[in-house]
Amino acid sequence: MTREVGDGTLAVGAGRPPARKYAPTLPGPVFAAYFHLPGEAVGPYTYGRDTNPTWTLLEAAIGELEDGAEVVSFSSGMAAIAAVLLSQVRSGDVVVLPDDCYQTTRALKERLESYGAVVRMGPTAGDAQMELLDGARLVWVETPSNPNLDVCDIARLVEAAHEAGALVAVDNTLATPLGQRPLDLGADFSVASDTKALTGHGDLLLGHVATRDAALAESVRLWRKTVGAIPGPMEAWLAHRSLATLELRLDRQDANALALAEALRKRPEVAGLRYPGLPDDPSHEVASKQMRRFGCVVSFTLPDEAFAERFLGAMRLVNQATSFGSVHSSAERRGRWGGDAVAPGFVRFSVGVENPGDLVSDVLAALDAASAEAREVGEDL
């Protein structure tokens, strides 16, 4: 499979073995803690914590989506993130992190510092991390950022980081490889929580690390073996099966997200609306250069916590959940978790594949209901 084919064709066929008479087109999951291993302990499959045929097919598939990369799959997105940060950094090394990235990634700052690393933090917007590169070993980039949807110029940051002698890892969770390919832009690692849009059904925990450097891939693979952060074969098989609809899901979610953002911008209750696909979004110019799809997440701020909670409770088609990327729309008041620099009424909205008219109508009706209740209790809007 090559990139001369379309994204849908690529996604449907990625990682599937050659057709064989009477065999399934995608072999079922292999459940094995160990394998028959006579003689010397060498071979593709030796022990269940090292390798598994079901992982092999999934990793090959994601490698094709990543435009030719070695892929190491993990039990969760955070397992993949931690594997890169903790396998590449030693005592005394300098790590640059975004101060507005996923909050559990930021929580690794304390762990890195406990190992003797130096952590510098700066915002995603405006390529601000470029000011922190001197002497760095590893630069972590998240674009678009979660949950504020700021964007940085990956190629520009990579060039500067490499000149400074640093590796660059990009958290590509929100975009997926069909929305953005960090490795094509020069990054050393492309990392994602495949729990989100890549698998897209809200029923798996999974992550991956992709790189075109064999030595880096091996160092991450050894970390996985050492700490045991391996995916289950059933999860790996379900993920591979789900890839076939990736382009269909992403295209529908992108279109729905844009429709929702355009409807929200007309509402007086909504402030701070962000979606990189909006032509006037602060991130749009840079995002348009490096993204082929703008993702499924829309963020905005409602007047206060009470208003946001009423809004979320009034929707009928949208789940209140903390993840994103599923075929089912979900939303949450992000401030309920703490840790993110967001207002009490800040909402992160993950747009699904529902019919756009139904989804937009549901959201607008919920805004109407929340506004009516606010007026009843005498709140200022």
Side-chain angles (χ1 to χ4, degrees):
M1 194 71 66
T2 68
R3 281 195 50 197
E4 279 77 41
V5 301
D7 284 348
T9 305
L10 179 64
V12 166
R16 291 180 182 251
R20 188 163 57 86
K21 192 175 183 178
Y22 308 127
T25 60
L26 179 62
V30 174
F31 299 98
Y34 55 86
F35 302 85
H36 183 55
L37 191 65
E40 293 299 319
V42 295
Y45 304 108
T46 57
Y47 184 66
R49 195 180 69 253
D50 295 346
T51 49
N52 177 287
T54 311
W55 307 349
T56 299
L57 293 177
L58 173 64
E59 290 170 350
I62 298 175
E64 290 183 38
L65 298 181
E66 294 273 12
D67 196 23
E70 281 196 61
V71 170
V72 185
S73 56
F74 286 87
S75 52
S76 70
M78 276 310 304
I81 291 167
V84 173
L85 285 167
L86 299 180
S87 70
Q88 302 304 311
V89 176
R90 301 289 183 270
S91 179
D93 285 346
V94 174
V95 182
V96 178
L97 294 178
D99 60 15
D100 53 352
C101 65
Y102 178 49
Q103 61 177 283
T104 312
T105 303
R106 278 183 277 123
L108 285 172
K109 176 179 184 289
E110 183 178 347
R111 181 64 55 197
L112 288 162
E113 290 174 338
S114 76
Y115 293 157
V118 176
V119 179
R120 302 171 185 157
M121 305 187 77
T124 297
D127 301 341
Q129 290 170 278
M130 287 186 65
E131 304 300 319
L132 307 173
L133 299 178
D134 185 42
R137 160 65 181 168
L138 177 67
V139 180
W140 190 270
V141 174
E142 184 179 285
T143 180
S145 64
N146 172 27
N148 289 309
L149 303 181
D150 281 321
V151 166
C152 61
D153 188 326
I154 296 173
R156 182 169 180 251
L157 269 170
V158 165
E159 182 179 8
H162 285 173
E163 286 180 0
L167 297 170
V168 179
V170 178
D171 186 331
N172 200 40
T173 298
L174 195 147
T176 83
L178 294 193
Q180 178 173 264
R181 289 193 173 100
L183 300 181
D184 288 355
L185 297 169
D188 301 286
F189 296 99
S190 177
V191 187
S193 170
D194 302 329
T195 306
K196 311 297 193 297
L198 193 73
T199 59
H201 291 80
D203 53 8
L204 298 174
L205 288 175
L206 214 66
H208 81 265
V209 175
T211 179
R212 294 188 182 134
D213 185 308
L216 293 179
E218 184 54 34
S219 67
V220 171
R221 192 175 292 112
L222 177 60
W223 179 267
R224 178 182 68 181
K225 173 182 176 178
T226 303
V227 302
I230 60 173
M234 191 66 190
E235 287 80 2
W237 183 84
L238 287 169
H240 197 167
R241 177 214 58 177
S242 298
L243 293 183
T245 60
L246 181 59
E247 184 198 41
L248 298 174
R249 291 186 278 106
L250 294 182
D251 284 349
R252 179 60 168 260
Q253 287 172 298
D254 272 29
N256 281 359
L258 183 59
L260 177 62
E262 289 175 337
L264 288 171
R265 71 194 312 174
K266 302 172 185 176
R267 297 293 302 218
E269 310 96 327
V270 172
L273 175 66
R274 296 298 305 272
Y275 181 63
L278 287 171
D280 59 349
D281 186 271
S283 295
H284 183 74
E285 182 178 355
V286 175
S288 295
K289 292 195 306 181
Q290 62 194 25
M291 299 183 75
R292 295 184 298 130
R293 294 173 174 87
F294 295 110
C296 64
V297 177
V298 177
S299 68
F300 52 95
T301 301
L302 296 174
D304 54 32
E305 177 179 337
F307 190 103
E309 292 293 348
R310 288 195 291 265
F311 163 73
L312 293 167
M315 287 187 289
R316 296 293 174 259
L317 300 179
V318 181
N319 297 317
Q320 293 193 57
T322 191
S323 194
F324 60 86
S326 173
V327 292
H328 303 283
S329 289
S330 63
E332 71 167 339
R333 192 181 64 79
R334 191 65 186 162
R336 66 181 176 171
W337 297 99
D340 290 320
V342 295
F346 180 93
V347 173
R348 185 183 69 184
F349 199 113
S350 173
V351 183
V353 302
E354 296 87 357
N355 290 106
D358 295 333
L359 180 61
V360 170
S361 293
D362 188 44
V363 171
L364 297 183
L367 282 173
D368 288 340
S371 295
E373 188 171 346
R375 285 191 293 270
E376 286 179 8
V377 299
E379 293 180 358
D380 293 329
L381 294 180

